[in-house]
Amino acid sequence: DEVLTSDGTDIAWAAAGAGGKIGQVLYNQNSTGFDSSTSAWADTAINSPTITPSAADSKILIRFGFSSHVNGATGSPEGTYGIYVDIDGAGDEVIALGVNVGKIRNEGTHSLDFHTTIEVLDDGSAANTTMSTDPRVYSLYMYRIGGTFYINPGGYQNFTTVMEILA
């Protein structure tokens, strides 16, 4: 394979480098909703895609898209998101949490629906998440800080895309 390259002055064809190719792509869409008024991390169960990497040196790009809102009559209700992975049934381990993933805050007593897209790259560097060829199940978690936190309150479509990126 060849690719078009440039050194800033000249353009030429050259041999393609290794890595960065897509091994597999999974996509799911549904209208599952979730709500919580408890201050604890909770699995939203809106989508839980499973991918089995074809190589132990692959990376996995996870993308969740959904609508959400948080409301409450007092203070500034807010919530935050987290992405967890269960590797071969060993139990959920955190990949990314809180401000590294996303946060929603409502500065008034009204409710607004926000479309949210979260992307996280699982490269096996988070604690207890070493890359392997074992099945990996990804989950979107949320943590309610105040008010009531809603995922997909209006019955909109959620989507999840999971891609294996080969080394």
Side-chain angles (χ1 to χ4, degrees):
D1 293 338
E2 289 187 317
V3 295
L4 194 57
T5 63
S6 173
D7 62 6
T9 304
D10 299 313
I11 296 174
W13 288 99
K21 295 181 175 135
I22 303 300
Q24 54 184 313
V25 177
L26 304 175
Y27 178 82
N28 186 5
Q29 185 173 319
N30 67 39
S31 58
T32 303
F34 176 83
D35 64 80
S36 177
S37 56
T38 303
S39 293
W41 283 105
D43 185 351
T44 64
I46 63 168
N47 276 325
S48 296
T50 301
I51 191 167
T52 303
S54 61
D57 57 356
S58 294
K59 293 178 173 72
I60 307 295
L61 180 66
I62 308 102
R63 186 174 193 211
F64 284 95
F66 52 92
S67 66
S68 62
H69 80 242
V70 60
N71 65 11
T74 60
S76 295
E78 59 186 274
T80 190
Y81 310 104
I83 305 294
Y84 284 70
V85 63
D86 179 346
I87 303 168
D88 202 24
D92 286 347
E93 297 289 345
V94 65
I95 295 176
L97 289 178
V99 295
N100 296 325
V101 178
K103 187 174 184 178
I104 185 170
R105 182 180 180 111
N106 185 349
E107 294 293 342
T109 58
H110 55 282
S111 297
L112 298 172
D113 289 353
F114 296 96
H115 180 73
T116 306
T117 301
I118 297 172
E119 281 187 348
V120 173
L121 183 66
D122 179 8
D123 61 2
S125 63
N128 303 314
T129 66
T130 303
M131 293 304 293
S132 66
T133 56
D134 293 325
R136 301 171 88 81
V137 180
Y138 294 95
S139 300
L140 175 68
Y141 275 61
M142 58 75 53
Y143 188 93
R144 169 246 179 223
I145 298 167
T148 302
F149 193 101
Y150 299 90
I151 300 281
N152 197 23
Y156 306 111
Q157 291 294 303
N158 304 312
F159 72 86
T160 306
T161 306
V162 180
M163 284 187 267
E164 177 185 14
I165 302 169
L166 303 173

